[in-house]
């Protein structure tokens, strides 16, 4: 009779022990998960645009895709047809407005730098606050600039530094 009781006790311990161990495992709830995780993250990407020939090519270091926004890091875009180069250290796209930090633009006429710009994808207009412009004939700095789709610059408080050949 003692052997049967000992067998039943060992059997009960063997059946109850896994339930006890599983009760100690914590389940990850939605409250513990960070809401700032991207849906998709791309590293060292390249892109090309054809219209019908190759018109634009570019690259980026990191692209993070969230539910309703995009984050770009170290972006470069080369417009082959217009011979333009755009670059930025960081970008943020939301509602067709691209917010760029440390923005550079270069074409055959001038080179343009700004700490912060806003680019509208629909109208192709660029606007921002402070800028520095370098050309063959002059340098310029200013505030509150606007660049239209034809790449004409309109700005306030401009200071020109003309380069004169002796």
């Amino acid at each position: 009779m003692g052997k049967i009781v000992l067998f039943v006790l060992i059997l009960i311990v063997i059946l109850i022990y896994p339930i006890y161990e599983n009760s100690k495992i914590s389940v990850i709830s939605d409250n513990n998960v960070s809401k700032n995780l991207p849906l998709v993250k791309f590293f060292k990407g390249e892109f090309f645009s054809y219209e019908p020939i190759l018109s634009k090519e570019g690259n980026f270091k990191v692209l993070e895709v969230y539910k309703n926004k995009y984050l770009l890091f170290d972006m470069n875009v080369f417009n082959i047809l217009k011979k333009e180069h755009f670059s930025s250290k960081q970008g943020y796209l939301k509602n067709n407005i691209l917010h760029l930090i440390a923005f550079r633009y270069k074409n055959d006429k001038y080179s343009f730098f700004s700490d912060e710009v806003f680019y509208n994808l629909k109208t192709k207009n660029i606007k921002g606050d402070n800028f520095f412009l370098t050309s063959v004939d002059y340098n310029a700095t200013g505030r509150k600039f606007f660049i239209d789709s034809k790449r004409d610059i309109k700005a306030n408080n401009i200071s020109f530094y003309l380069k004169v050949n002796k």
Side-chain angles (χ1 to χ4, degrees), residues 50-68:
Y50 296 93
E51 316 170 339
I53 61 171
L54 179 63
S55 62
K56 294 177 189 145
E57 65 179 349
N59 57 45
F60 55 86
K61 190 172 184 180
V62 178
L63 171 64
E64 295 178 356
V65 178
Y66 293 87
K67 189 172 183 178
N68 57 0

Side-chain angles (χ1 to χ4, degrees), residues 101-137:
I101 307 292
F103 173 75
R104 291 186 185 274
Y105 169 76
K106 186 175 183 179
N107 62 16
D108 56 345
K109 296 179 184 176
Y110 60 85
S111 178
F112 180 86
F113 174 78
S114 179
D115 292 334
E116 181 179 31
V117 299
F118 297 93
Y119 178 69
N120 190 329
L121 295 176
K122 289 184 179 179
T123 62
K124 309 283 190 228
N125 295 332
I126 302 170
K127 65 180 178 176
D129 196 20
N130 296 327
F131 72 92
F132 182 74
L133 181 71
T134 303
S135 176
V136 176
D137 300 329

Side-chain angles (χ1 to χ4, degrees), residues 60-106:
F60 55 86
K61 190 172 184 180
V62 178
L63 171 64
E64 295 178 356
V65 178
Y66 293 87
K67 189 172 183 178
N68 57 0
K69 65 180 177 180
Y70 300 92
L71 285 178
L72 286 164
F73 296 96
D74 293 333
M75 175 191 67
N76 292 303
V77 178
F78 305 98
N79 190 332
I80 297 169
L81 299 177
K82 295 181 181 178
K83 297 179 182 173
E84 298 175 322
H85 174 245
F86 299 91
S87 68
S88 176
K89 284 289 182 193
Q90 185 176 354
Y92 174 86
L93 175 65
K94 188 172 184 180
N95 299 331
N96 288 327
I97 303 293
L98 184 58
H99 178 209
L100 299 169
I101 307 292
F103 173 75
R104 291 186 185 274
Y105 169 76
K106 186 175 183 179

